[in-house]
């Protein structure tokens, strides 16, 4: 039995909410809250007749800590699941501290205004110290560790698919298959087709900022940074087929480098079609990916936010996306003195997801682990004071829950490796 507040009602949230409603023995009461209450109400109207979970809705701006504190004090949830945007991570964590409530999210903190001089100063120091230039990183949230310990509450960072499931796969591989893991390649393949020349599968602003950033990987104790999309490989994905994939900077590399002892190299690859890359390059070249406001006919607009308004809403891709995703990790290391390689992955079918919860597989593969991470906390399986990444807990109950709640995984011995 639990009472959980879910902040956000976008693509990922809609799956997490639908899954909480399927799991009504654990999630007896949920509140859906975002700035646009009508969207939360529409979700309640759709789901309430299908579930025993008691759904309430509220209007809240999570950037406004006073407003959110008042709502939490009124609803008194056991945990808050943050499936709004990475921009809200710190304010929601502050509110959890102020109210003594556990916290779960799916993406690490990113500043909305990257021109803010105070933020930029810290960012530039971090770039020099750490050696990667992505706008998002864990330092901001890891800095809350002591405060969460002192308050006796739990924060679980990054319980989506990647980060999230890929990180739990890493803990599981280490626990059951290896004495030491030396190489991790995380492969994120979307073999789906939505029929549009260009669209993003989750929030366009967050997605385009991520994929247009410099690429990077972790090797021998430090970051190696490379030009965006400059490292390309081909891979024959089970149930999807041959795809081109490109090396990206990705947030779980940062935490796995810290939490997987003895790891020598961690890379992340994502598949992209040529049409996506051409559109993205063109939009970047003309300045449409910029986060710096410009003045247009007397009104200030942020180019990437204007672009978001033009692009298809990721939530609308569900009915038209066909094909499958395959996301997983190839681990290479040693067991009992012998070298060994395994590949753990999940295959998810866009149309099956749509039939089940009305969303495409990208939202599904993130929303299901968001529900599972929250369940781990409210059930007391992953509950200790502090701020943690998901690979820091026992992976077994989470892996079991993935099989039960729609993301079954496969362990393949001696897979094709990535050169
Ligand atoms: P959407 O843009 O579809 O939804 C974001 C939601 O956040 C909206 O419902 C919006 O509602 C709400 N929101 C935004 N600002 C605020 C605010 N100030 N206060 C309250 N609510 C707010 O995003 P997605 O669902 O695609 O992504 C959600 C999260 O999941 C993101 O953090 C993303 O990075 C992460 N993600 C993680 C993945 C993983 O594998 N780990 C993969 C994909 C996404 P409203 O406008 O009504 O406030």
């Amino acid at each position: 039995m639990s009472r959980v507040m879910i902040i956000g009602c976008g693509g990922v949230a809609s799956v997490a909410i639908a899954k909480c409603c399927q799991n009504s023995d654990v999630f007896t009461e949920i509140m859906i809250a975002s700035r646009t209450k009508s969207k939360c109400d529409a979700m309640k109207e759709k789901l309430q007749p299908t579930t025993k979970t008691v759904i309430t809705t509220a209007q809240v701006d999570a950037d406004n800590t006073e407003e959110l504190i008042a709502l939490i004090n009124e609803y008194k949830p056991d945990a808050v699941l943050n499936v709004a945007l990475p921009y809200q991570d710190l304010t929601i964590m502050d509110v959890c501290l102020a109210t003594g409530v556990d916290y779960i999210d799916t993406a690490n903190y990113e500043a909305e205004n990257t021109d803010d001089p105070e933020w930029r100063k810290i960012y530039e120091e971090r770039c020099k110290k750490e050696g990667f230039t992505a706008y998002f990183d864990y330092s901001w949230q890891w800095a809350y560790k002591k405060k969460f310990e002192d308050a006796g509450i739990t924060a679980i960072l990054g319980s989506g698919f990647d980060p999230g499931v890929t990180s739990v796969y890493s803990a599981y591989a280490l626990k059951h298959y290896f004495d030491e893991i030396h190489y991790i390649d995380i492969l994120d393949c979307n073999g789906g087709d939505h029929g549009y020349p260009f669209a993003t599968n989750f929030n366009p602003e967050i997605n385009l900022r991520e994929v247009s950033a410099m690429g990077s990987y972790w090797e021998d104790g430090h970051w190696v940074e490379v030009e965006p999309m400059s490292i390309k490989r081909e891979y024959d994905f089970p149930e999807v087929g041959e795809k081109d994939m490109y090396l990206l900077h990705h947030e779980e590399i940062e935490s796995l480098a810290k939490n997987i002892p003895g790891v020598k190299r961690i890379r992340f690859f994502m598949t992209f079609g040529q049409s996506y890359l051409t559109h993205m390059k063109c939009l970047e070249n003309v300045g449409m990916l910029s986060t710096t406001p410009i003045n247009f006919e007397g009104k200030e607009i942020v180019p990437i936010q204007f672009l978001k308004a033009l692009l298809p809403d990721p939530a609308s891709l569900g009915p038209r996306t066909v094909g499958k995703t395959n996301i997983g990790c190839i681990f290479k290391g040693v067991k009992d003195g012998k070298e060994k390689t395994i590949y753990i992955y999940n295959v998810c079918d866009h149309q099956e997801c749509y039939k089940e919860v009305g969303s495409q597989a990208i939202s599904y593969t993130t929303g299901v682990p968001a529900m599972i991470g929250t369940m781990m906390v409210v059930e007391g399986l992953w509950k200790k004071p502090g701020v943690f990444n998901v690979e820091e807990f026992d992976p077994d109950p989470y892996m079991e829950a993935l099989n039960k709640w729609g993301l079954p995984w496969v362990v393949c011995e001696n897979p094709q490796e990535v050169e």
Side-chain angles (χ1 to χ4, degrees), residues 22 27 33 37 45 50 52 61 148 176 182 214 217 229 231 250 257-258 266 309 317 323 331 339 384:
Q22 286 179 14
F27 297 94
K37 186 167 176 287
E45 205 171 302
T50 69
K52 282 193 290 187
D61 181 351
F148 270 69
H176 296 285
H182 294 155
M214 294 284 280
Y217 57 97
M229 307 289 170
I231 298 184
H250 222 247
K258 199 169 103 175
I266 313 173
L317 300 178
F331 302 100
E339 201 171 80
K384 54 183 175 182

Side-chain angles (χ1 to χ4, degrees), residues 349-369:
D349 185 296
H350 286 285
Q351 280 300 304
E352 292 296 318
C353 298
Y354 185 68
K355 267 188 239 145
E356 187 195 320
V357 295
S359 301
Q360 32 82 354
I362 306 300
S363 301
Y364 191 91
T365 52
T366 311
V368 172

Side-chain angles (χ1 to χ4, degrees), residues 288-300:
M288 285 300 286
L289 303 190
S290 169
T291 55
T292 305
I294 59 152
N295 197 294
F296 179 71
E297 295 186 344
K299 193 175 176 347
E300 199 171 77

Side-chain angles (χ1 to χ4, degrees), residues 1-4 20-31 48 51-56 75 78 378-379:
M1 276 184 38
S2 68
R3 176 183 283 197
V4 169
C20 289
C21 291
Q22 286 179 14
N23 192 0
S24 55
D25 288 344
V26 171
F27 297 94
T28 37
E29 294 175 53
I30 60 169
M31 172 181 270
Q48 191 62 88
T51 179
K52 282 193 290 187
T53 304
V54 179
I55 307 172
T56 28
Y75 187 64
D78 302 307
V378 296
E379 295 258 272

